[in-house]
Amino acid sequence: MATFVLVHGGGHGGWCYTRLARELRALGHEVHCPTLTGLGDRRHLLSKDIDLDTHIEDVVAFLFHEDLREVYLAGHSYGGMVITGVADRALDRIANLIFLDAAHPRDGESLSTIAKAQMDMAHSHATWVDGVECYELPDDMAAVAYGVTDLADAAWMKPRLAPHPWACMTTPLRLANEAAVMALPRTSINCTPTLAIRPKEYLHRTLEADFLFEIDTGHDLMISEPIAVAQMLDEVARA
Protein backbone atom coordinates (compact mmCIF):
# COMPACT_ATOMS: atom_id res chain seq x y z
CA MET A 1 0.00 0.00 0.00
CA ALA A 2 1.01 3.63 -0.43
CA THR A 3 2.29 6.29 1.93
CA PHE A 4 0.24 9.49 1.67
CA VAL A 5 1.31 12.86 3.05
CA LEU A 6 -1.60 15.30 2.87
CA VAL A 7 -0.76 19.02 2.96
CA HIS A 8 -3.59 21.41 3.73
CA GLY A 9 -4.44 24.74 2.15
CA GLY A 10 -4.80 28.30 3.38
CA GLY A 11 -6.34 28.84 6.81
CA HIS A 12 -6.71 25.11 7.38
CA GLY A 13 -4.62 22.56 9.24
CA GLY A 14 -3.99 18.84 9.31
CA TRP A 15 -7.42 18.56 10.97
CA CYS A 16 -9.20 19.07 7.63
CA TYR A 17 -8.04 15.64 6.46
CA THR A 18 -9.48 13.73 9.43
CA ARG A 19 -12.20 12.04 7.38
CA LEU A 20 -10.12 11.45 4.27
CA ALA A 21 -7.27 9.98 6.34
CA ARG A 22 -9.70 7.61 8.04
CA GLU A 23 -10.96 6.36 4.67
CA LEU A 24 -7.46 5.90 3.26
CA ARG A 25 -6.29 4.00 6.33
CA ALA A 26 -9.31 1.73 6.07
CA LEU A 27 -8.08 0.90 2.54
CA GLY A 28 -4.70 -0.09 3.99
CA HIS A 29 -2.65 3.04 3.32
CA GLU A 30 -0.26 4.89 5.61
CA VAL A 31 -1.39 8.51 6.02
CA HIS A 32 0.29 11.60 7.50
CA CYS A 33 -1.40 15.02 7.85
CA PRO A 34 1.18 17.59 8.99
CA THR A 35 0.07 21.07 9.99
CA LEU A 36 1.98 24.04 8.60
CA THR A 37 3.58 26.57 10.95
CA GLY A 38 1.18 29.18 12.31
CA LEU A 39 -2.00 27.29 11.42
CA GLY A 40 -4.29 24.69 12.96
CA ASP A 41 -2.85 23.20 16.13
CA ARG A 42 0.32 25.25 15.44
CA ARG A 43 -1.43 28.61 15.28
CA HIS A 44 0.33 29.65 18.49
CA LEU A 45 3.52 29.82 16.38
CA LEU A 46 2.18 32.62 14.18
CA SER A 47 5.05 34.96 13.25
CA LYS A 48 5.87 37.71 10.79
CA ASP A 49 8.67 35.47 9.49
CA ILE A 50 6.29 32.84 8.09
CA ASP A 51 6.07 32.66 4.31
CA LEU A 52 5.82 30.04 1.56
CA ASP A 53 9.42 28.93 2.12
CA THR A 54 8.63 28.26 5.80
CA HIS A 55 5.83 25.92 4.83
CA ILE A 56 7.91 24.16 2.21
CA GLU A 57 10.61 23.55 4.80
CA ASP A 58 7.98 22.28 7.26
CA VAL A 59 7.11 19.43 4.92
CA VAL A 60 10.67 18.76 3.72
CA ALA A 61 11.74 18.39 7.36
CA PHE A 62 8.71 16.20 8.11
CA LEU A 63 9.62 13.80 5.29
CA PHE A 64 13.20 13.62 6.52
CA HIS A 65 12.47 13.11 10.20
CA GLU A 66 9.76 10.52 9.53
CA ASP A 67 12.11 8.95 6.94
CA LEU A 68 9.35 8.73 4.37
CA ARG A 69 10.08 7.62 0.81
CA GLU A 70 7.99 6.79 -2.26
CA VAL A 71 5.53 9.34 -0.94
CA TYR A 72 2.23 10.22 -2.56
CA LEU A 73 2.39 13.91 -1.71
CA ALA A 74 -0.95 15.72 -1.90
CA GLY A 75 -1.68 19.43 -1.57
CA HIS A 76 -5.04 21.17 -1.38
CA SER A 77 -5.49 24.71 -2.75
CA TYR A 78 -2.49 26.78 -1.48
CA GLY A 79 -0.97 23.40 -0.63
CA GLY A 80 -0.23 23.00 -4.34
CA MET A 81 2.35 25.75 -3.97
CA VAL A 82 3.87 23.94 -1.00
CA ILE A 83 4.09 20.46 -2.48
CA THR A 84 5.68 21.76 -5.68
CA GLY A 85 8.42 23.39 -3.62
CA VAL A 86 8.81 20.26 -1.49
CA ALA A 87 9.27 18.11 -4.59
CA ASP A 88 12.07 20.39 -5.75
CA ARG A 89 13.90 20.03 -2.43
CA ALA A 90 13.13 16.36 -1.74
CA LEU A 91 12.82 14.93 -5.24
CA ASP A 92 14.10 11.47 -4.31
CA ARG A 93 11.33 10.98 -1.74
CA ILE A 94 8.33 11.65 -4.02
CA ALA A 95 6.46 8.99 -6.01
CA ASN A 96 3.50 11.11 -7.11
CA LEU A 97 2.40 14.73 -6.76
CA ILE A 98 -1.33 15.03 -6.12
CA PHE A 99 -3.15 18.34 -6.63
CA LEU A 100 -6.46 18.47 -4.75
CA ASP A 101 -8.28 21.37 -6.43
CA ALA A 102 -4.94 23.07 -6.00
CA ALA A 103 -2.60 25.66 -7.41
CA HIS A 104 -0.29 24.39 -10.18
CA PRO A 105 2.63 26.84 -9.97
CA ARG A 106 5.80 27.26 -11.98
CA ASP A 107 9.13 28.75 -11.00
CA GLY A 108 8.90 32.41 -9.99
CA GLU A 109 5.13 32.45 -9.51
CA SER A 110 3.19 33.22 -6.35
CA LEU A 111 -0.38 32.34 -5.49
CA SER A 112 -1.28 36.03 -5.69
CA THR A 113 -0.26 36.07 -9.36
CA ILE A 114 -1.77 32.79 -10.61
CA ALA A 115 -5.04 33.16 -8.66
CA LYS A 116 -5.25 36.95 -8.68
CA ALA A 117 -9.02 37.36 -8.43
CA GLN A 118 -9.35 34.97 -5.51
CA MET A 119 -6.34 36.43 -3.73
CA ASP A 120 -7.56 40.00 -4.25
CA MET A 121 -10.82 38.95 -2.58
CA ALA A 122 -8.90 37.28 0.26
CA HIS A 123 -6.72 40.35 0.73
CA SER A 124 -9.82 42.51 1.04
CA HIS A 125 -10.36 40.66 4.32
CA ALA A 126 -6.83 41.22 5.56
CA THR A 127 -6.42 41.54 9.28
CA TRP A 128 -3.50 42.03 11.64
CA VAL A 129 -2.85 39.41 14.31
CA ASP A 130 0.00 40.01 16.75
CA GLY A 131 1.70 42.26 14.22
CA VAL A 132 1.32 39.79 11.33
CA GLU A 133 -0.73 40.66 8.25
CA CYS A 134 -3.09 37.76 7.63
CA TYR A 135 -6.22 36.95 5.75
CA GLU A 136 -9.18 35.45 7.56
CA LEU A 137 -12.59 35.12 6.00
CA PRO A 138 -15.51 36.19 8.20
CA ASP A 139 -17.53 33.30 9.64
CA ASP A 140 -20.52 34.11 7.46
CA MET A 141 -18.34 33.82 4.32
CA ALA A 142 -15.95 30.99 5.14
CA ALA A 143 -18.17 27.98 4.51
CA VAL A 144 -19.49 29.44 1.25
CA ALA A 145 -16.01 30.35 0.02
CA TYR A 146 -14.73 26.85 0.71
CA GLY A 147 -17.78 25.21 -0.82
CA VAL A 148 -18.95 23.53 2.38
CA THR A 149 -22.75 23.45 2.22
CA ASP A 150 -23.61 20.96 4.96
CA LEU A 151 -24.45 22.92 8.10
CA ALA A 152 -22.87 20.38 10.46
CA ASP A 153 -19.67 20.34 8.40
CA ALA A 154 -19.57 24.14 8.38
CA ALA A 155 -20.07 24.31 12.14
CA TRP A 156 -17.21 21.81 12.64
CA MET A 157 -14.90 23.65 10.26
CA LYS A 158 -15.35 27.31 11.22
CA PRO A 159 -13.75 27.32 14.70
CA ARG A 160 -10.74 25.40 13.35
CA LEU A 161 -9.91 27.88 10.59
CA ALA A 162 -7.00 30.19 11.43
CA PRO A 163 -5.65 33.52 10.13
CA HIS A 164 -3.13 32.78 7.38
CA PRO A 165 0.04 34.90 7.02
CA TRP A 166 -0.37 36.99 3.87
CA ALA A 167 3.33 36.71 2.98
CA CYS A 168 2.68 33.06 2.03
CA MET A 169 0.51 34.27 -0.85
CA THR A 170 3.00 36.75 -2.26
CA THR A 171 6.26 34.77 -1.90
CA PRO A 172 7.47 33.58 -5.33
CA LEU A 173 8.09 29.86 -5.63
CA ARG A 174 11.74 29.16 -6.42
CA LEU A 175 12.55 25.87 -8.13
CA ALA A 176 16.15 24.76 -8.64
CA ASN A 177 15.19 21.83 -10.88
CA GLU A 178 11.81 22.65 -12.38
CA ALA A 179 12.16 20.12 -15.24
CA ALA A 180 12.63 17.25 -12.79
CA VAL A 181 9.65 18.36 -10.70
CA MET A 182 7.44 18.59 -13.79
CA ALA A 183 8.56 15.10 -14.83
CA LEU A 184 7.24 13.48 -11.64
CA PRO A 185 4.03 11.45 -11.97
CA ARG A 186 1.12 13.82 -11.31
CA THR A 187 -2.48 13.44 -10.23
CA SER A 188 -5.04 16.23 -10.51
CA ILE A 189 -8.42 16.08 -8.80
CA ASN A 190 -10.46 19.09 -9.84
CA CYS A 191 -13.74 20.35 -8.40
CA THR A 192 -16.26 21.26 -11.08
CA PRO A 193 -17.19 24.67 -9.57
CA THR A 194 -13.51 25.65 -9.35
CA LEU A 195 -12.81 24.72 -12.96
CA ALA A 196 -15.48 27.22 -13.99
CA ILE A 197 -13.62 30.13 -12.37
CA ARG A 198 -10.01 29.15 -13.11
CA PRO A 199 -8.12 31.85 -15.06
CA LYS A 200 -8.19 30.69 -18.68
CA GLU A 201 -4.45 31.13 -19.11
CA TYR A 202 -3.78 28.60 -16.32
CA LEU A 203 -6.67 26.17 -16.85
CA HIS A 204 -4.63 23.77 -18.97
CA ARG A 205 -2.30 23.09 -16.06
CA THR A 206 -5.09 21.46 -14.07
CA LEU A 207 -5.65 19.00 -16.92
CA GLU A 208 -2.03 18.00 -17.47
CA ALA A 209 -1.74 14.89 -15.32
CA ASP A 210 -1.04 11.18 -15.47
CA PHE A 211 -4.21 10.61 -13.43
CA LEU A 212 -7.03 13.09 -13.93
CA PHE A 213 -10.32 13.26 -12.01
CA GLU A 214 -13.20 15.70 -11.71
CA ILE A 215 -15.68 15.77 -8.84
CA ASP A 216 -18.76 17.96 -8.60
CA THR A 217 -18.37 19.30 -5.09
CA GLY A 218 -17.12 22.39 -3.31
CA HIS A 219 -13.48 23.41 -2.95
CA ASP A 220 -12.98 21.59 0.38
CA LEU A 221 -13.50 18.20 -1.27
CA MET A 222 -11.72 16.35 1.54
CA ILE A 223 -14.48 17.52 3.89
CA SER A 224 -17.49 17.21 1.61
CA GLU A 225 -16.56 14.02 -0.29
CA PRO A 226 -13.92 12.05 1.68
CA ILE A 227 -15.07 8.63 0.50
CA ALA A 228 -15.04 9.55 -3.19
CA VAL A 229 -11.64 11.26 -2.91
CA ALA A 230 -10.20 8.28 -1.02
CA GLN A 231 -11.37 5.97 -3.80
CA MET A 232 -9.65 8.15 -6.40
CA LEU A 233 -6.39 8.19 -4.44
CA ASP A 234 -6.61 4.45 -3.88
CA GLU A 235 -6.99 3.98 -7.64
CA VAL A 236 -3.82 6.02 -8.24
CA ALA A 237 -1.89 4.05 -5.63
CA ARG A 238 -2.92 0.73 -7.12
CA ALA A 239 -2.23 1.69 -10.74
Side-chain angles (χ1 to χ4, degrees):
M1 294 293 102
T3 298
F4 287 93
V5 174
L6 310 178
V7 179
H8 61 84
H12 291 57
W15 57 265
C16 71
Y17 287 118
T18 299
R19 299 170 185 177
L20 178 56
R22 184 185 301 125
E23 297 296 332
L24 286 171
R25 288 172 183 139
L27 293 168
H29 301 293
E30 178 181 348
V31 187
H32 301 268
C33 308
T35 292
L36 304 174
T37 301
L39 299 160
D41 55 288
R42 304 181 71 202
R43 65 190 298 165
H44 60 288
L45 300 176
L46 182 66
S47 161
K48 61 180 177 58
D49 297 322
I50 297 171
D51 62 10
L52 174 61
D53 290 321
T54 309
H55 290 161
I56 292 170
E57 188 54 37
D58 280 341
V59 182
V60 171
F62 183 85
L63 297 181
F64 172 76
H65 287 284
E66 295 292 329
D67 198 21
L68 301 178
R69 298 183 182 276
E70 293 297 310
V71 169
Y72 286 69
L73 181 63
H76 172 248
S77 195
Y78 161 76
M81 302 291 299
V82 178
I83 66 169
T84 305
V86 172
D88 186 62
R89 301 184 193 184
L91 193 67
D92 62 335
R93 294 181 181 272
I94 311 302
N96 194 296
L97 280 179
I98 300 168
F99 295 83
L100 300 174
D101 211 39
H104 294 255
R106 301 293 186 264
D107 181 51
E109 296 178 342
S110 69
L111 192 59
S112 62
T113 59
I114 63 174
K116 187 177 185 304
Q118 292 89 337
M119 289 301 98
D120 284 350
M121 184 277 290
H123 199 217
S124 71
H125 297 285
T127 184
W128 289 83
V129 181
D130 296 332
V132 181
E133 186 181 21
C134 300
Y135 83 86
E136 182 178 26
L137 296 178
D139 279 353
D140 61 346
M141 287 183 59
V144 174
Y146 293 122
V148 176
T149 57
D150 182 88
L151 294 180
D153 287 347
W156 174 77
M157 175 187 72
K158 287 178 183 178
R160 292 170 171 81
L161 294 171
H164 194 116
W166 183 248
C168 298
M169 308 304 159
T170 58
T171 305
L173 177 67
R174 297 301 180 191
L175 301 176
N177 196 349
E178 184 174 31
V181 173
M182 294 300 118
L184 284 169
R186 299 167 76 83
T187 298
S188 188
I189 302 179
N190 299 305
C191 296
T192 303
T194 307
L195 285 174
I197 61 171
R198 291 269 189 187
K200 292 182 179 179
E201 63 268 33
Y202 300 118
L203 181 61
H204 67 282
R205 296 183 185 179
T206 69
L207 308 177
E208 295 169 348
D210 300 279
F211 301 92
L212 181 63
F213 303 90
E214 182 177 336
I215 182 167
D216 191 5
T217 192
H219 183 51
D220 275 12
L221 66 169
M222 64 284 182
I223 293 177
S224 59
E225 291 288 351
I227 296 174
V229 174
Q231 290 171 344
M232 294 173 187
L233 296 181
D234 183 60
E235 180 180 333
V236 172
R238 293 177 185 276

